[in-house]
Amino acid sequence: MEKILIVEDEGITSFELKTKIESWGYSVVGIASRSEDVLKMIQYLEPDLITMDITIRGEMDGIELVEILQKTREIPIIYVSAHSSDMIMERALKTSPYAFLIKPFADKELKFAIELALKKHNMKKELDNDQIIHKIISENSGDVIWILDIASNKFTYVSYSIENLRGYTPEEVLEQSLEEVMTPESYQKIIKNLPLYIRAIMTGDESARVTTHEVDQIHKDGSIIPTEVVTTLLTDDNGTIDRVLGVTRSMASKKKF
C-alpha cells in the first residue's frame, strides 16, 4: 500500500483529504502544517508521495520546502493550493511537480493525479535501473556482470565471463549462494556491511548506493582469486532495495606486485 504524506495548513481540509485518499486504498502516514515538521517526519515516515499546500506555517512555504527535499530525495509532489498567480506557478514549475491542483477541485482530479504520479514515478525508477544495467554492461564487457537477489541470497544473472574468472559456468553459479562463491572472511564482511548501506540509502544517503569492495573468491580448483567488486543497490517498484548489481574483476595481477 503506497504511503502518502499530507502537508496542509487548514485542519478541516487536511482531514477531508485524508478521508478521501484513504478511501481510494492509500495509507496516509502523516499530516503536517509546518515546514519544519515535514523535514522531521520525512526521515521516518518515508512517504511514496506528498500532497503539498503552498501556503503553510513555518519558515518556508511549500515550494521552498520541496526545493530542500529534492536535494536528497526523489518523492513525487502534487501541489494542492488556492493560489495560482503567475509568479507562484513559475516557482512551482521549476520543482517539476507531478501535478498542480487549484482549490477547489473535484475528487476525481486528485485521485487521477495521485494514480498518475505514482505510476510515472515507478516507471522512472524502472528506467533508471535499466539504464544503470545497460551502462555498466557496455562499459565493462570484459568483467563479470551479475545480479543478486537479496531475499534469497542467490544470483539471478551472471555473465559468461565468470568461467574465465572462477572456472564455473553461469549455470553452475546460478545454483550457488553468495556464501559459496567467496571465502568466509569476505562473506562475513559483506553481510555485515550490506544492511548498513541499505539503511543509509533509506535515510536519504545516496552515496551508499554504489560501493567498491575487495573480495576473495573461490575458484573451481579451490584456489583463491582476489577480486575488486563494484556494487549498485537496485530498488523495486515500491522503493524497496531488493537486488544487487555487481561488476567483478580479477586483481590477481595487481596482487603480485
Side-chain angles (χ1 to χ4, degrees):
M1 182 181 295
E2 289 93 345
K3 299 181 294 183
I4 296 178
L5 174 64
I6 296 174
V7 182
E8 170 60 53
D9 187 44
E10 299 178 7
I12 295 178
T13 302
S14 62
F15 177 76
E16 291 176 347
L17 284 174
K18 180 177 185 296
T19 301
K20 293 174 184 177
I21 291 172
E22 289 181 336
S23 71
W24 299 329
Y26 303 105
S27 172
V28 175
V29 292
I31 298 175
S33 60
R34 296 182 60 86
S35 57
E36 293 80 6
D37 292 339
V38 176
L39 293 174
K40 295 176 183 178
M41 295 168 71
I42 207 81
Q43 299 295 325
Y44 60 89
L45 293 178
E46 298 179 356
D48 299 304
L49 181 144
I50 299 175
T51 62
M52 179 70 68
D53 192 4
I54 292 178
T55 304
I56 57 177
R57 301 171 190 169
E59 297 181 357
M60 296 175 283
D61 65 16
I63 299 174
E64 292 172 317
L65 179 57
V66 170
E67 291 173 342
I68 296 296
L69 293 176
Q70 289 180 336
K71 292 180 180 179
T72 57
R73 296 174 181 272
E74 290 189 16
I75 303 176
I77 301 294
I78 295 177
Y79 286 116
V80 177
S81 177
H83 303 281
S84 59
S85 68
D86 290 344
M87 183 179 69
I88 287 178
M89 294 293 286
E90 183 178 348
R91 289 180 57 216
L93 287 174
K94 289 181 179 179
T95 64
S96 301
Y98 280 72
F100 192 117
L101 301 182
I102 300 173
K103 302 176 185 176
F105 50 82
D107 290 356
K108 63 180 181 181
E109 291 182 74
L110 177 61
K111 185 174 184 291
F112 179 74
I114 292 174
E115 292 176 354
L116 184 60
L118 291 170
K119 183 175 181 178
K120 288 175 65 176
H121 186 61
N122 288 334
M123 289 174 64
K124 181 180 181 299
K125 288 192 294 184
E126 289 180 4
L127 180 61
D128 288 344
N129 283 340
D130 288 343
Q131 289 176 337
I132 290 173
I133 293 173
H134 292 150
K135 182 175 185 293
I136 290 178
I137 289 176
S138 64
E139 293 179 353
N140 302 275
S141 57
D143 299 328
V144 179
I145 314 296
W146 50 268
I147 298 176
L148 178 81
D149 177 71
I150 295 176
S152 64
N153 212 25
K154 302 277 283 188
F155 295 94
T156 59
Y157 171 80
V158 182
S159 64
Y160 287 101
S161 48
I162 187 64
E163 196 163 1
N164 295 328
L165 179 69
R166 295 185 53 230
Y168 291 97
T169 65
E171 291 75 19
E172 289 174 321
V173 176
L174 291 178
E175 296 298 322
Q176 295 178 325
S177 67
L178 182 64
E179 186 174 6
E180 294 176 274
V181 309
M182 62 187 67
T183 63
E185 294 79 11
S186 291
Y187 178 71
Q188 290 301 319
K189 184 168 60 175
I190 293 297
I191 63 172
K192 176 184 177 181
N193 290 331
L194 180 58
L196 301 180
Y197 297 138
I198 293 176
R199 192 175 304 119
I201 294 172
M202 298 309 291
T203 56
D205 182 7
E206 283 296 319
S207 66
R209 188 173 295 277
V210 180
T211 52
T212 303
H213 321 266
E214 290 189 8
V215 178
D216 290 331
Q217 302 200 32
I218 303 173
H219 195 276
K220 194 171 186 177
D221 63 12
S223 61
I224 304 300
I225 309 296
T227 65
E228 178 184 73
V229 181
V230 179
T231 58
T232 303
L233 299 179
L234 304 178
T235 56
D236 62 14
D237 293 344
N238 297 316
T240 301
I241 298 172
D242 64 340
R243 292 159 294 156
V244 181
L245 170 65
V247 178
T248 301
R249 64 183 53 172
S250 174
M251 294 181 62
S253 59
K254 295 181 181 180
K255 293 289 185 178
K256 292 179 182 179
F257 298 98

